[in-house]
Amino acid sequence: MLNLLDKSMLAKVADMHEIPQGAFNIRKNGQGVERRTTDNINILTKTDKPGIDIIVKPYTKGESVHIPVILTEESLNDLVYNSFEIGAYSDVVVVAGCGIHNDGCSKSQHDGIHTFNVRKGAKMRYVEKHYGEGAGTGGRVLNPKTILDVEEGATVELELVQIKGVDSTKRDTEVRLAKNAKVIITERLLTDKEQSAESKIIVELNGEGSSAQIISRSVAQDHSKQDFYFDLIGRSASRGHVQCDAIIMHDAKVYSTPRIAAEHSEAQLVHEAAIGRIESEQLIKLMSMGLSEKEAEDTILKGFLK
């Protein structure tokens, strides 16, 4: 049974303010606790390692699947392998949030490895939210790895979100695009206190007419540290664009390492990066409207990360 804390965490990481009508699989403290399938979306427990197989039938339209993970105990190291088969010409939403509530003094950690086969002509929106909370001194650690093979004419939208609460994270995202396939990646990240975050995104434009757009926005506060690595590889007549913007505050540190590699004469690749502070003119304007300095800062950061 799910208690009030569980339901609160599910709302924060998977938009499950109530149990959805579609397919879902809820994992708590290393164990599956609730599951529902539909006529078009099946969920199977792996027999060789921890995790599940999510199978979406071809031509499935307008359905979603939620696969949240919550940790509410300390001294856990939860490793899970999830595989996704997104059927040809389907159009679905996958929500895979993870939240840790740690009131103890020992570390709680979740490592999720997700592999996707997005078949020909399919459309998928994938939302991954990370969240941490708790009064304890134990670390809240989340390390996701996402690997996508996107077939001809398929489109994938990735929304990767982590706003405060996570002490350490290492995120790896790998995308391989076939002919006329498309990926749009939006990353939003906020760290504070002594937190650290690493994000590596590699996109291979293998097929003719493939395209990629990567937008990363982050805020680093206090003594936190962020490290970004972007690798965009054009192996065909393709198009790719990377935009990385960060706001740095207090004594934080932000590192951004871009690489664009053209291995075809008709690959068109662009990278833009900017790291800076909040402009004083913005603060003054909002404070002139009656906001305190902190309220003005929070308003600017909220709009930046929206």
Side-chain angles (χ1 to χ4, degrees):
M1 294 292 292
L2 298 174
N3 57 35
L4 289 177
L5 173 60
D6 300 334
K7 293 177 181 178
S8 174
M9 295 294 287
L10 291 174
K12 291 169 182 173
V13 301
D15 295 327
M16 291 179 67
H17 299 280
E18 57 185 28
I19 297 297
Q21 293 302 310
F24 66 84
N25 186 89
I26 300 173
R27 182 179 177 89
K28 177 183 177 182
N29 296 329
Q31 302 294 326
V33 292
E34 286 194 39
R35 175 180 298 176
R36 177 189 293 158
T37 62
T38 71
D39 291 341
N40 296 313
I41 301 178
N42 198 12
I43 303 174
L44 303 172
T45 301
K46 287 185 179 295
T47 57
D48 57 340
K49 52 189 172 184
I52 54 177
D53 294 324
I54 298 93
I55 303 167
V56 178
K57 290 183 179 179
Y59 298 97
T60 298
K61 304 286 185 180
E63 293 197 35
S64 64
V65 55
H66 292 66
I67 55 165
V69 172
I70 52 176
L71 272 63
T72 59
E73 298 177 0
E74 63 176 320
S75 301
L76 283 176
N77 192 340
D78 184 34
L79 173 62
V80 64
Y81 299 84
N82 294 332
S83 302
F84 301 78
E85 175 73 19
I86 308 299
Y89 303 102
S90 59
D91 188 347
V92 295
V93 176
V94 178
V95 181
C98 180
I100 297 177
H101 183 102
N102 188 353
D103 285 328
C105 58
S106 299
K107 179 181 69 173
S108 292
Q109 177 171 333
H110 175 73
D111 296 346
I113 301 172
H114 292 178
T115 58
F116 290 82
N117 287 312
V118 184
R119 300 304 183 184
K120 183 175 181 179
K123 294 182 180 180
M124 181 188 73
R125 179 170 175 255
Y126 176 68
V127 180
E128 185 177 86
K129 294 183 179 181
H130 287 170
Y131 178 77
E133 65 179 23
T137 58
R140 295 172 289 274
V141 180
L142 291 163
N143 297 318
K145 183 168 186 176
T146 306
I147 302 170
L148 297 105
D149 284 291
V150 186
E151 292 189 354
E152 180 179 348
T155 299
V156 173
E157 295 183 33
L158 302 182
E159 182 180 348
L160 312 175
V161 182
Q162 181 179 305
I163 306 298
K164 287 190 176 182
V166 178
D167 296 302
S168 174
T169 186
K170 292 184 179 180
R171 179 194 300 276
D172 286 316
T173 305
E174 300 175 12
V175 184
R176 294 181 284 267
L177 299 172
K179 180 178 180 180
N180 294 326
K182 179 179 181 180
V183 67
I184 301 171
I185 302 175
T186 303
E187 179 179 57
R188 291 180 285 152
L189 175 68
L190 190 151
T191 56
D192 64 359
K193 301 178 182 177
E194 305 292 333
Q195 296 168 0
S196 65
E198 296 181 20
S199 177
K200 178 186 288 187
I201 297 176
I202 301 173
V203 177
E204 301 177 26
L205 299 160
N206 295 327
E208 180 181 354
S210 58
S211 64
Q213 180 178 6
I214 304 169
I215 300 173
S216 176
R217 288 192 169 185
S218 71
V219 176
Q221 298 177 326
D222 301 324
H223 297 278
S224 64
K225 178 184 175 183
Q226 300 178 0
D227 199 341
F228 298 94
Y229 178 85
F230 303 96
D231 195 355
L232 188 60
I233 307 165
R235 296 198 173 101
S236 62
S238 53
R239 301 172 66 91
H241 179 255
V242 179
Q243 179 181 335
C244 178
D245 297 317
I247 291 177
I248 186 170
M249 304 172 66
H250 314 123
D251 295 314
K253 295 180 175 63
V254 179
Y255 303 89
S256 180
T257 306
R259 190 182 84 129
I260 52 177
E263 299 180 1
H264 191 283
S265 61
E266 294 185 46
Q268 301 179 48
L269 309 176
V270 178
H271 182 274
E272 302 174 74
I275 300 173
R277 59 183 177 83
I278 296 175
E279 295 295 334
S280 58
E281 292 82 359
Q282 293 176 290
L283 285 173
I284 292 171
K285 182 177 180 180
L286 289 173
M287 290 170 68
S288 71
M289 298 177 182
L291 298 181
S292 67
E293 183 175 356
K294 186 179 187 308
E295 289 172 336
E297 277 188 357
D298 291 343
T299 298
I300 292 168
L301 296 180
K302 184 177 180 180
F304 179 74
L305 292 172
K306 187 174 181 180

